[in-house]
Amino acid sequence: MIYALFLIWVAASSSSAQQFYDPSDCSSDTSNQGSRYSCDSAQQPCRTFLVYRANQHFGHQNLLNISALFQVESDELLDLNNIASPLETLKRGREVLVPINCSCSGEYFQASLSYIVSERTSFPEIACGVFEGLLKSLTLLQENPSQGTDVETGVKLDVPLRCACPGGFARFNGVKYLVTYPILEGDGITPLSMKFSIAPEDLLAANHLEPKSTVYPNTTVLVPLKSDPVINLNVPDSPPPTPGFLPTITVEKTKNTKLRKLYIAGSVVGFFLIVVALLACGFYVKAVKKWKGERLQSFTDRNSVLSCSTARSSPRSGQTGRSSTNSCLSPDLLAGIKFSLYKYGIEDIKRATNDFNEDTNKIGEQVYKGLIDNESVMIKQMRCEDTRQVIDMHSKINHVNIVSLHGVCYGENDLAWSYLIFELPTNGCLRNCLSNQANRLSWRRRTQIAFDVATILNYLHYCIFPSYAHMSVNSRNIYVTSKWRAKLAKIGSTLAVSASTMNDKVVTVNGLVAPQNPMNEAASVKVDVFAFGVVLLELISGKEAAQGTFLKDSIRFLGGGANEEGCFEQLRSFIDPSLKNEYLIAEALCLAVLAKACIEDDPLRRPSMDDILKVLGRMV
């Protein structure tokens, strides 16, 4: 009896006002009384915590997204939750501790946030989905009375999250924090107490609950803690309650002969169509194999020997040049590529480039544009041994986001120039696209290009063996197709090397120094990550990266203001003005934070391309 009275006293004194458990869920449109924790005006604000669960459906699957949602520093969440990287994808439902500032506003405690709506939605979707029941939809509606039932894209909402500060006997008894915890189906008092290493009686008392009380999903409870919060993630969730049996309804059996016959007829017709489709597929595959065999045989006759020691001839023009006495290409390599490359003569190259006209055809260092068989091509002048390295690399990879290698033209001897013929995507290099004010690059196309470049770098880093560092990623080596998709050029050049062979300490990217520790295989690919970060900055700002203050100015702009509004204003002044307001500020902020992480001085603190790809995948 004395102990029960003691619990009642503790419950009544757990804060400066009564904190009763509210059994109505977050989407309830009933009275708002009890849905927030009450306070008195004399109550001092406090620093406390809430629990949020990683949620892939709403795009909050890593600490970078969660910190942006709650407007806290991601580094603070890293230390608090013992997670290595803000871009690490968390397991669905993984509980994350988030620090908040709780204060008494009128009659209730609340942690005041703002939220910018990224797509048309509703108040229940925001309250119960995005914020996982940390406030009721009715509270959100009352806080934003000017909005209708549906909330339009770009609207800024005031979000008062549930919280409470300890006071009275609770503070006297050593309670330091009251952590707001959202209840899911299957949660129980005992396992919840074990997660935070507290007595179940303390949890019951803090929420005015009795031992046999029921807690409901989509509600919150307060967890009283006497020390800094730590969640024991090894404690399993309570099993969901066993559902009762639903009443059965007797269904009268009806014999419908017509319906049965219709089912049988449909089954027979369906089976017949499947058999016909399989036979058609078989004939098609056989015909394709026959056609490929005839084509390869014809092509083999035209390219029976492909080396520097043979006569240089074009299967398209018939031009013939002089031969050399030895070859810089190995027989094994030639055998592997003889069916994939056209062999051109030097006259083909001269005709395509207007005899290497530097005024009309030169587009880069030793790079010319041209026209062969009414197809735009890019012709790269190289030494014979460098040609071998590029062909060797292209023979090992096959990816839609790589500029394709079409053919080769060998010099008259191994000391003469050779030429590689590549496709030339319609819209040219990314740098030119960003500089073209007449046909500006939209925000949606910029995010798609970023995703495409991340895709190919992820492929080079993790999908081939040994892993491969490009080492020359910049906006002039990224080309844009007619459908505004990105392709990466300069694969296999002398600058790009196997990640396992790199030992340089300093690497220059786009004229900017990418700080490096002595490289091993894991750290070397971080040079590409740094370069990718610079490309992201160019996509955001429209400015070209060059020596000088580009990175310094970018970091200053991305450093954020003193508050949220200041941060957004500073970011808006950095974004390419040609975009005007045709972009989502939340996506721009995400790209900016991602770019800043990519250009970290310490290469081991930069995210991997796999992590980057997961973030960008949410935008396209």
Side-chain angles (χ1 to χ4, degrees):
M1 180 66 180
I2 294 176
Y3 181 73
L5 290 173
F6 173 75
L7 287 182
I8 293 173
W9 183 37
V10 171
S13 308
S14 59
S15 73
S16 64
Q18 302 294 310
Q19 311 301 342
F20 289 96
Y21 169 70
D22 175 20
S24 60
D25 67 30
C26 69
S27 61
S28 172
D29 59 359
T30 58
S31 172
N32 206 33
Q33 185 177 1
S35 65
R36 299 159 75 180
Y37 301 121
S38 60
C39 65
D40 59 53
S41 58
Q43 182 72 22
Q44 294 296 315
C46 66
R47 180 77 161 170
T48 185
F49 301 88
L50 58 80
V51 173
Y52 188 81
R53 295 179 177 88
N55 188 333
Q56 293 181 354
H57 178 70
F58 292 99
H60 303 123
Q61 73 274 26
N62 58 43
L63 291 191
L64 182 63
N65 303 133
I66 295 173
S67 64
L69 178 65
F70 290 97
Q71 296 149 33
V72 297
E73 292 292 335
S74 57
D75 289 344
E76 191 172 1
L77 295 187
L78 288 178
D79 298 335
L80 191 59
N81 295 279
N82 195 25
I83 296 175
S85 169
L87 294 174
E88 177 184 337
T89 300
L90 304 179
K91 180 181 177 182
R92 181 175 176 271
R94 204 280 199 189
E95 294 178 341
V96 175
L97 282 166
V98 179
I100 56 173
N101 292 316
C102 185
S103 60
C104 185
S105 177
E107 299 179 8
Y108 304 104
F109 284 114
Q110 66 180 45
S112 300
L113 299 180
S114 60
Y115 175 71
I116 298 177
V117 179
S118 59
E119 59 183 19
R120 195 167 187 264
T121 184
S122 64
F123 283 109
E125 185 77 0
I126 297 172
C128 307
V130 176
F131 287 97
E132 299 179 349
L134 290 168
L135 76 162
K136 289 181 65 174
S137 58
L138 183 58
T139 305
L140 188 60
L141 178 60
Q142 291 175 343
E143 197 74 12
N144 301 273
S146 62
Q147 302 300 322
T149 305
D150 294 328
V151 189
E152 300 296 333
T153 303
V155 171
K156 183 178 178 181
L157 299 177
D158 294 324
V159 181
L161 299 181
R162 294 178 177 179
C163 66
C165 296
F169 182 79
R171 182 176 293 277
F172 177 78
N173 199 36
V175 174
K176 189 176 180 181
Y177 303 108
L178 290 172
V179 177
T180 307
Y181 185 90
I183 297 294
L184 286 182
E185 185 173 355
D187 279 333
I189 295 298
T190 300
L192 181 54
S193 302
M194 293 172 62
K195 279 185 182 180
F196 289 92
S197 302
I198 64 173
E201 293 82 6
D202 293 343
L203 185 59
L204 291 170
N207 295 276
H208 273 213
L209 291 171
E210 296 181 358
K212 294 184 179 181
S213 297
T214 301
V215 290
Y216 297 90
N218 297 320
T219 62
T220 62
V221 296
L222 295 175
V223 181
L225 299 179
K226 297 182 180 180
S227 58
D228 291 344
V230 176
I231 300 178
N232 184 357
L233 299 176
N234 295 322
V235 177
D237 292 333
S238 302
T242 305
F245 289 102
L246 295 176
T248 58
I249 301 175
T250 304
V251 179
E252 183 182 353
K253 293 185 178 179
T254 59
K255 297 183 178 179
N256 193 326
T257 307
K258 269 190 177 182
L259 197 57
R260 286 186 62 190
K261 288 182 178 179
L262 186 61
Y263 287 154
I264 293 171
S267 301
V268 171
V269 172
F271 177 74
F272 176 75
L273 291 176
I274 290 174
V275 171
V276 171
L278 290 175
L279 289 174
C281 288
F283 285 124
Y284 174 76
V285 171
K286 187 175 181 180
V288 169
K289 285 184 177 179
K290 182 179 179 181
W291 175 77
K292 283 187 175 180
E294 292 173 352
R295 187 183 179 198
L296 290 180
Q297 181 61 42
S298 172
F299 202 55
T300 303
D301 294 340
R302 291 187 292 170
N303 298 276
S304 57
V305 181
L306 184 61
S307 74
C308 291
S309 61
T310 63
R312 276 69 175 178
S313 63
S314 168
R316 304 182 182 189
S317 66
Q319 296 293 330
T320 304
R322 294 156 58 184
S323 62
S324 67
T325 58
N326 50 47
S327 168
C328 68
L329 304 181
S330 69
D332 292 338
L333 172 64
L334 297 174
I337 65 171
K338 64 182 180 181
F339 296 129
S340 58
L341 290 182
Y342 278 109
K343 183 176 51 159
Y344 297 92
I346 188 63
E347 293 302 321
D348 296 319
I349 306 302
K350 288 182 177 180
R351 185 164 49 251
T353 61
N354 293 322
D355 202 12
F356 301 103
N357 190 311
E358 295 197 1
D359 294 330
T360 60
N361 291 77
K362 191 169 185 180
I363 58 175
E365 185 179 356
Q366 297 179 326
V367 182
Y368 298 83
K369 65 179 180 180
L371 203 64
I372 296 180
D373 287 351
N374 293 321
E375 182 180 357
S376 295
V377 294
M378 182 166 48
I379 299 169
K380 174 72 173 176
Q381 184 183 49
M382 306 182 76
R383 294 177 303 174
C384 192
E385 56 268 28
D386 293 337
T387 303
R388 179 196 184 283
Q389 183 175 339
V390 174
I391 293 176
D392 181 42
M393 191 63 199
H394 276 267
S395 69
K396 296 175 182 177
I397 59 177
N398 180 25
H399 199 281
V400 69
N401 295 118
I402 290 178
V403 171
S404 300
L405 175 62
H406 287 342
V408 60
C409 172
Y410 306 107
E412 295 183 351
N413 56 61
D414 292 344
L415 298 179
W417 290 110
S418 293
Y419 302 89
L420 288 177
I421 296 85
F422 297 89
E423 68 168 316
L424 180 58
T426 306
N427 285 309
C429 72
L430 175 59
R431 182 66 260 154
N432 291 343
C433 292
L434 290 170
S435 302
N436 186 356
Q437 296 299 318
N439 187 17
R440 63 181 180 80
L441 204 57
S442 69
W443 179 257
R444 185 55 54 204
R445 288 172 178 171
R446 295 185 196 213
T447 56
Q448 181 63 61
I449 287 169
F451 178 78
D452 289 342
V453 177
T455 299
I456 184 55
L457 290 177
N458 184 68
Y459 172 83
L460 294 174
H461 292 180
Y462 301 110
C463 300
I464 62 174
F465 182 81
S467 58
Y468 183 82
H470 186 277
M471 298 296 291
S472 190
V473 178
N474 60 63
S475 58
R476 295 191 179 275
N477 285 334
I478 298 168
Y479 286 81
V480 183
T481 69
S482 59
K483 295 184 178 180
W484 304 98
R485 303 301 296 270
K487 291 197 171 193
L488 187 60
K490 216 169 183 179
I491 301 293
S493 66
T494 53
L495 288 178
V497 295
S498 167
S500 59
T501 64
M502 299 179 60
N503 294 299
D504 298 326
K505 295 184 180 180
V506 176
V507 180
T508 302
V509 178
N510 294 340
L512 306 170
V513 176
Q516 290 298 123
N517 293 331
M519 292 189 194
N520 53 30
E521 184 171 354
S524 61
V525 296
K526 298 296 184 162
V527 177
D528 287 349
V529 175
F530 181 93
F532 180 76
V534 176
V535 171
L536 282 182
L537 293 175
E538 291 194 47
L539 286 169
I540 297 169
S541 67
K543 300 175 183 177
E544 182 173 9
Q547 287 181 335
T549 62
F550 179 77
L551 277 186
K552 184 178 179 180
D553 291 343
S554 300
I555 293 172
R556 177 171 57 84
F557 275 112
L558 301 181
N563 50 48
E564 181 191 359
E565 289 298 329
C567 174
F568 286 153
E569 287 304 318
Q570 204 154 313
L571 178 59
R572 287 190 182 96
S573 66
F574 179 72
I575 294 174
D576 189 347
S578 70
L579 289 170
K580 300 180 180 177
N581 290 323
E582 299 176 10
Y583 58 88
L584 294 176
I585 188 64
E587 288 189 358
L589 179 61
C590 186
L591 276 190
V593 174
L594 185 60
K596 189 176 180 182
C598 290
I599 60 174
E600 281 277 357
D601 285 346
D602 184 356
L604 299 181
R605 289 181 60 87
R606 300 169 197 162
S608 68
M609 290 311 305
D610 185 52
D611 292 331
I612 293 170
L613 197 59
K614 291 172 183 175
V615 174
L616 294 175
R618 305 291 303 183
M619 298 186 188
V620 297

